[in-house]
Amino acid sequence: MKQWIGLVARLITGGVWIVAGALKLPDPSGSVRAVRAYEILPESIVPTVGYALPVVEVALGVCLVLGLLTRVMGVLSALLFVAFIVGISAAWARGLSIDCGCFGGGGEITDATAKYPWEIARDVGLLLLSVWLVIWPRSRWSLDAVVLPPRAGEVSPGPGEGEELDVEAQQGR
Amino acid sequence: MSKRNKAAERAARAAALKAERERKARRDRQRRLLTIGAVVGGLLIVVVAAVWLQSRAGDIDETATAPEGATQSYGLRLGTADAEHEVVIYEDFLCPACKSFEDAYDAELESAVEEGRASVEYRPLDFLGRFGDYSQRTANAFAVVLDAAGPEVAKEFHDLLYAEQPAEDGDHPDDAWLIEKAVEAGATEADVAAGIEGLEFEAWVSNGVKAATSAGVQGTPTVMVDGEAIDASTLAEAIE
């Protein structure tokens, strides 16, 4: 059951990341302006963050959808959502009226305050799904299960267990 | 004797199995770390390369052709260089606040230019791409008209576009309408049609957006007087 929930969490968060990043990729300058509009980061790193964010989002989304390094990606995803929630809250608290730039766009808009609560709620929901993946990274149809050998101590069904029983039997208990 | 042997044999076999399992666990751990390392390494390479491409896309394209009569700063300057004040207006032909600004201050700016109180540079921007390509097409058309018919016609074209600005999020007029407006402003259809339809100055327009972004322009209209961004409502005093 948990593995199915994990799959759903992966697909939702991963899908959102892919869409959000892909919409921003064609307009690098727009992404820089969207980051700058928050007036949080120092100007010296605003361009780098603006250029990097869409790329990181797409890469993160693809990994989540594929189920590759799920726990690591879950941590990264959760951290980014926390950053966005903090950013939007800070913009709201300081009375800035900006488009969150979550799915492209960004910059000043007129009716931003009406949108902030919904944007934060959405990010909190996605944050919870990401945290789920950090706690229970094993999920259905993940690449992790295929490419990564099971971690020591993890119960792997099949021959491993058989051996275990065998040894005990042979130890003549 | 045989009993003891058996017990020793069992113990030896158990120990061998245990050692074998430990070896396997170690191999698995190594393989796991290697795989994770390879995946992380691959991801990093892809991400770094893509970020580099993104930042390159944010660089000015030096090969872009500028329209005849444009400034180095991707605009059209009206008035003389020795005017008292230097006004720069960043605007997007689709932005409603830019239309309000034009409605309120265009006459003021025109007389300031005539009296030599100020030079005014219009820098058209494609900032509202999220509403479609109208911003880009109009900024390009402005460049085409400037290139083909000169500053006065371009200014007239600029005024017409603001006077008949479409709704930001509605349907936007097509290229034929832009050509019609260019002709109405005083351009010759044959001179501007191909450039408007073919986005002749697309790279120049995109350079203008990049330059404005680097200059910290956040939204439109942004009005600068003598290098300082000002609130549009204080424009009249600033250029008095």
Side-chain angles (χ1 to χ4, degrees):
Chain A
M1 186 58 199
K2 270 185 189 152
Q3 295 215 10
W4 285 107
I5 298 178
L7 173 67
V8 172
R10 265 173 41 212
L11 293 181
I12 294 179
T13 50
V16 169
W17 281 125
I18 291 175
V19 171
L23 284 173
K24 281 178 275 199
L25 277 179
D27 185 9
S29 303
S31 177
V32 172
R33 289 197 302 278
V35 172
R36 183 178 290 141
Y38 282 89
E39 296 174 21
I40 291 177
L41 298 174
E43 184 52 37
S44 54
I45 63 166
V46 162
T48 312
V49 173
Y51 294 137
L53 206 49
V55 175
V56 170
E57 289 178 0
V58 171
L60 174 58
V62 169
C63 287
L64 281 171
V65 167
L66 295 178
L68 195 57
L69 306 183
T70 307
R71 177 169 269 162
V72 178
M73 295 303 157
V75 170
L76 190 57
S77 174
L79 287 177
L80 278 174
F81 281 124
V82 167
F84 290 171
I85 293 167
V86 169
I88 296 171
S89 310
W92 192 5
R94 287 175 300 157
L96 297 179
S97 184
I98 59 171
D99 184 307
C100 75
C102 308
F103 299 92
E108 285 172 33
I109 53 169
T110 45
D111 50 352
T113 6
K115 292 185 186 156
Y116 289 144
W118 143 245
E119 285 163 359
I120 291 174
R122 181 195 58 207
D123 285 357
V124 168
L126 292 165
L127 169 63
L128 293 179
L129 289 179
S130 309
V131 169
W132 175 283
L133 289 173
V134 177
I135 303 174
W136 296 288
R138 280 155 60 103
S139 57
R140 285 274 148 181
W141 301 331
S142 74
L143 219 49
D144 282 346
V146 182
V147 299
L148 296 184
R151 193 193 289 274
E154 260 176 354
V155 192
S156 61
E161 266 173 314
E163 251 172 61
E164 194 91 30
L165 289 175
D166 217 21
V167 173
E168 275 178 14
Q170 285 176 12
Q171 278 171 344
R173 289 212 189 133
Chain B
M1 154 90 188
S2 78
K3 212 173 187 183
R4 210 188 254 174
N5 266 352
K6 255 188 191 166
E9 210 175 278
R10 266 206 304 264
R13 267 166 57 197
L17 264 167
K18 200 173 162 226
E20 171 61 28
R21 270 191 307 156
E22 273 167 7
R23 262 200 305 280
K24 184 177 179 304
R26 224 177 300 131
R27 262 204 320 274
D28 277 355
R29 229 185 82 223
Q30 262 174 7
R31 199 154 72 85
R32 196 182 157 83
L33 286 177
L34 270 176
T35 314
I36 293 178
V39 171
V40 169
L43 272 174
L44 274 180
I45 291 172
V46 170
V47 166
V48 167
V51 171
W52 182 74
L53 282 178
Q54 283 292 98
S55 70
R56 281 272 311 252
D59 286 346
I60 300 286
D61 173 7
E62 304 288 354
T63 64
T65 320
E68 176 85 39
T71 61
Q72 288 294 312
S73 39
Y74 310 98
L76 158 64
R77 183 181 291 123
L78 299 177
T80 52
D82 58 356
E84 261 175 81
H85 297 287
E86 197 183 271
V87 179
V88 174
I89 301 163
Y90 291 95
E91 49 186 8
D92 184 312
F93 284 111
L94 189 57
C95 120
C98 302
K99 176 178 167 54
S100 309
F101 172 80
E102 287 293 331
D103 289 349
Y105 298 104
D106 186 47
E108 168 72 29
L109 285 171
E110 277 192 358
S111 63
V113 167
E114 267 166 38
E115 294 159 18
R117 278 187 286 130
S119 68
V120 180
E121 183 177 355
Y122 296 93
R123 296 184 187 165
L125 291 180
D126 167 20
F127 259 23
L128 298 176
R130 64 175 180 275
F131 294 110
D133 62 1
Y134 183 80
S135 295
Q136 187 196 30
R137 285 189 294 118
T138 45
N140 171 71
F142 177 72
V144 170
V145 171
L146 171 62
D147 186 62
E152 268 125 63
V153 177
K155 172 64 169 55
E156 183 59 29
F157 179 63
H158 160 277
D159 294 350
L160 282 173
L161 287 185
Y162 279 113
E164 301 184 34
Q165 187 186 60
E168 197 175 33
D169 50 3
D171 284 338
H172 302 144
D174 58 8
D175 289 341
W177 184 85
L178 291 179
I179 295 168
E180 199 181 294
K181 291 295 135 190
V183 171
E184 199 179 320
T188 314
E189 182 171 346
D191 293 344
V192 295
I196 288 177
E197 283 162 355
L199 285 178
E200 185 180 359
F201 295 107
E202 183 179 6
W204 181 81
V205 168
S206 137
N207 278 351
V209 172
K210 293 167 194 168
T213 299
S214 311
V217 174
Q218 268 308 113
T220 51
T222 292
V223 182
M224 323 253 305
V225 174
D226 301 326
E228 296 268 338
I230 62 150
D231 191 295
S233 60
T234 64
L235 178 65
E237 298 113 76
I239 59 171
E240 220 158 46

